[in-house]
Amino acid sequence: MSKKYKIVHISQTPLVAAPAKVALAQRMSGHETVAIVLKDYPINGPLAGKFIEDFLVEDGFTKGIIDEAIAKADIIHIHNDLPQEWVTRLLYSNQTAKYVYQVHSPLREGPLYLPRDSSLGLPFSLKLVVGQFQPRIHQDHVFVPNIIHETPSVRPRRKGEKLKVIFSPTHLRPGRWNNKHVEQLDTALQSLVKLGKIEAIIPDKPVSPKTLMAVRRSCHVSIDEIATGGFHQVSIEGLAAGNVTINKADYFSKTVFSTFSDGEMPPFVYADGESIASTLENLANDWEKTAEQQLVSYNYFKKHLTPIKMSSIFDKAYETL
Amino acid sequence: MISNIKGIYIFLDPFDRADSGVSSYTSLAAARMQRLGISTKTIKLNKNETIVDFRNRVATDINNIRETILCIEAPESLASTANLPDSLPLHIRLHCSRSLGAAIQGLPYSEHDVAIEQTELCRAKYLSAPSWAAYFTSLCLFKFPHTPLFYPNPSPEFQYQNIKKPKYDLLFVGRLQFLKGLHYLEHLIEHLPNLSFAVACPPNSNWKFSNKKNVTVVDGTSLSKHEIYNLANIVIVPSIFETSSMVAIEALAHDCQVITWKHLGVSEYINDSRLIKVNSNILDDFLHSIKTCNPQKKPTTGIVTEVINKNFDRGISQVLSPVNLKAVLLNRPDETTELYLRNLIREQTFFMKTKKKSSFSAKTRKLILNPVAFFRDSKEAKYVRRKIHERKQRKYLKLQTELFPQGAPNDIEIRYVTKIEQSEPETLNSNAPALALYAEIQKEGRITFATLPSMPAGCSTAFFYSIGEESQLVSSILDALDSFDDFKYLNKTKLNIGTFDITADETTLSIINRIDVKNKTTFSEIDTVVLVNAPVNLCQALRAIGTNHRIVLIKSTEELVIDNQSIDALISTTDSQSMDALATTRRHIKLESEEHIPTAVRRIIQEGFPKKPDMLLSLFMNSDCGFTKEEFNQLNTNSYQGIIKTKPYSPTNSKTMTDIYKGFSESVIAIALIESVYMRYRSLCEAVENGASPENLINSCLTDGILFDVQEV
């Protein structure tokens, strides 16, 4: 049994709850872990309040808990970036903890633009990176997974059932990896809906992750994004929900991810702007193929991507500290 | 009576710029309609908002409107209405889309953009155009389900000029672009040296004619419209094409005389001596009109503006009124002009492509369409004119010898005008600035970049040098770049020149934090950034603020420290780079002499031009596994920029991407890259072809976002 630690995760913003999910998985593995976020997403924005649940946000009530957690931590695990006053506070509060840096975002575009690990001024012993498309940019960082805390389920498509597709476009930003929009996808979805081939579930306003996941479980296909060549948490959620998961993930994104699953490539279905319409139509026309692919997704998640298994990858990384 | 109609009329402005005709139209049209008793609302593009975000926001905002929507009007350009349902009353008005503007200039345009604009044209309940010219020209790119309603763009209210004798003879207002007739303007300036030209354009416009004796450039954004149109009595509008011409309308509303081509949209609005319409593209006629025009003799009147606005009102009434009567509100152009407009794009494309080819077909066309111009411009006529000129020259030289036996004085005073002198202080604003650099990156303070005129893809280049840099090197580079007559993209008028004064101890992050999001977005319009002996922190910062541009560093000093990962190309005249560092440099040109630097810069920029078609090139590697024609043909280059063939590879025990690159590279059998990518990483490709591992190449490509189709064989 690996050693158990007192771990504090800190991030400036929720990062779509990724640090909190790691912390939760680590608690399930027996570690004493908290996740602190400095502030939620902007109050009038689409993401406010939706990813903050499992975090501690500092206020009068929580300050004592946070101070104590920091002071007693064996590992302080920083995500993406931190303001200078927090760096000073950490160094002042705990001189024995090991520092781990984890990056979630690409470079040359917002929010980071530049690597931050060396400019933060903390003595990082380990550098991690989310194991999707990001490693190609942060090449010397160790891959770690995004963790999904959903019980895997599958509702295979039945004969005569219309193909149900869920697509939840996230907040659009400019950049090579942030720009996830593809016009042809909108056109393909609209056209196939008008033809009566598919039912498209596209939330017209921001929805909580739990609600989205519940809806996802009722669908057959999840579309992540087909613009960048990477993939996101949505793809992993799609596997957990037993959906055919469509993205444009390239060989290297999938190869990195396969290091979490004993070398088995994730069963994503590739599509780009030119092929998305035909990919969806082929699925729409073949209920058996859809059901078969759904089961592949479900089995893959069940076998490889459970939170405890994913937490062990962090454990292995911490062993080098 | 449309004032009795209940509901709200919505305008969409996907530009929201002071120099945009659409934005000016939207503002005037909304004001005009409010005077008619119609409620209006304008949804404008926000700062830093992409068009995709704008379309989404439009859909959301419209969905939240509770009142009856009378109409949602948008320009065809950028398809702002794309996310709106068919059930809404969409009104598309032709303002000359960007695609059409590009096509008219013989430039490439996106067929995808045209397709989505076409969709909106077909979906629209109402179609209108500010001129027949707009419609005829648009037919080159678009199909229309029915003929649009034709009515003019509205005019601002009439005001008299308040300066009896304006300072300049002629006024040009607009961006210094080919579409606005820049080449015509330059011709007029050269052929009318005794007339003074005021050119009101956006600031930081680089233009070789700005130093001409009879030219004064003013910052059009720092003066009010009234101040601008008080600069001269005559306003010239020599644009290649305008659906309407806000400049002409504004000029008429400010009591100016306007001279323009007869095929521009505004020529259909009125028949009045205030608006002189010149035969299309006959510069001599334009010159003649200027010389013979005397606006002081014409009575000043606001009737022109009144007519335009009344016709706009009637046009809008036709849109909103259920009665299907169509009054004629514009003068349809004559047959010659209509033919010219219908063929405008073809003409321009033809002109751009074939100006070096045999002139026979061009001359034949000219003989048929413009016989007067044909004979006037013929070789015989030119010969006669040249002989007359030479005779005059001989007389002058004889006179010179008589008057100046020691030789004629040879210093010519060049007048640089940096501000307008105020003759009547209560009317004009005299703070027109000197032409500014693209950017001045100083030791502290915000870093801002000027907005650029649009350029073809790959052509927009910034050139930065240190304020303390040896001026001879920089000026010799700039002069040499300016001398490339066959490659004008690097001429001083096209280069965006900036300076930097950065200390080595400022962190890269600090430099980045001095550039706000808006300026990062502005900077992203640049394709190539050339830096002369720039420090590491500046190279890192400029590369980090965007993903589209390339950093080219010129290194002519031994002691300059560089970070190879922060530059896309290195031009060096020194040998101080280590082999290991060079092995990871994407593109490196080593020169023996500084005099070759300009050629090297040109080469790198040319290499980076978009390629059409962008074909695959396979690297010479020691393997039997080549690529078949089918494999090349099957590659979707919109999704992948190369193919890698590899033996089966397992990433077992790989913890980092560096581990994967090492292991994967050993399995690679063959690599093919599209030409533009090959050129960008040419040094790394050549290293692979010389036997090096492809690890550095694959690493650099993937880091920069290149995608490969990896095939295990």
Side-chain angles (χ1 to χ4, degrees), chain A residues 157-177:
Chain A
R157 187 182 174 202
R158 290 183 293 248
K159 188 177 179 182
E161 205 179 350
K162 198 185 269 191
L163 187 75
K164 223 169 150 192
V165 178
I166 182 167
F167 174 57
S168 53
T170 55
H171 183 62
L172 299 172
R173 298 171 75 161
R176 165 64 180 87
W177 297 101

Side-chain angles (χ1 to χ4, degrees), chain B residues 173-189:
Chain B
V173 181
R175 298 187 290 279
L176 297 176
Q177 286 176 342
F178 181 71
L179 190 61
K180 296 298 174 189
L182 181 63
H183 52 303
Y184 292 141
L185 174 66
E186 290 170 354
H187 182 95
L188 296 172
I189 288 169

Side-chain angles (χ1 to χ4, degrees), chain B residues 57-264:
Chain B
R57 184 165 63 84
V58 161
T60 310
D61 286 358
I62 297 230
N63 195 38
N64 291 336
I65 291 175
R66 297 285 157 252
E67 298 156 84
T68 305
I69 295 175
L70 296 173
C71 204
I72 302 167
E73 182 180 327
E76 80 279 39
S77 193
L78 304 181
S80 315
T81 52
N83 289 356
L84 297 176
D86 291 348
S87 54
L88 290 172
L90 304 181
H91 172 190
I92 301 294
R93 186 162 172 83
L94 301 180
H95 284 277
C96 186
S97 73
R98 280 186 182 169
S99 311
L100 185 62
I104 288 169
Q105 295 177 84
L107 298 171
Y109 55 88
S110 162
E111 293 196 4
H112 170 71
D113 288 348
V114 171
I116 55 173
E117 287 163 4
Q118 175 70 74
T119 304
E120 296 313 294
L121 288 169
C122 291
R123 287 200 318 135
K125 185 175 176 188
Y126 309 109
L127 286 174
S128 71
S131 62
W132 286 93
Y135 173 60
F136 291 142
T137 315
S138 299
L139 285 171
C140 301
L141 277 192
F142 298 110
K143 293 185 181 6
F144 293 89
H146 55 83
T147 313
L149 275 170
F150 296 106
Y151 58 91
N153 284 342
S155 168
E157 293 301 319
F158 180 79
Q159 333 180 28
Y160 286 101
Q161 282 187 317
N162 57 2
I163 296 178
K164 282 234 170 345
K165 279 195 176 177
K167 191 170 164 60
Y168 301 96
D169 299 307
L170 296 162
L171 172 64
F172 171 92
V173 181
R175 298 187 290 279
L176 297 176
Q177 286 176 342
F178 181 71
L179 190 61
K180 296 298 174 189
L182 181 63
H183 52 303
Y184 292 141
L185 174 66
E186 290 170 354
H187 182 95
L188 296 172
I189 288 169
E190 280 185 329
H191 285 76
L192 297 168
N194 297 325
L195 295 183
S196 56
F197 286 75
V199 174
C201 59
N204 306 321
S205 304
N206 289 322
W207 186 38
K208 62 187 175 194
F209 274 62
S210 58
N211 290 335
K212 285 269 182 196
K213 213 169 165 173
N214 60 336
V215 173
T216 304
V217 177
V218 304
D219 176 5
T221 61
S222 68
L223 303 178
S224 67
K225 297 282 184 198
H226 195 62
E227 285 165 345
I228 291 173
Y229 292 106
N230 269 285
L231 290 172
N233 278 327
I234 303 172
V235 175
I236 53 173
V237 185
S239 307
I240 293 175
F241 174 71
E242 298 275 0
T243 53
S244 169
S245 176
M246 272 321 293
V247 168
I249 294 173
E250 285 169 354
L252 290 167
H254 285 86
D255 199 27
C256 297
Q257 176 74 53
V258 176
I259 303 176
T260 187
W261 304 115
K262 68 198 264 197
H263 67 269
L264 268 55

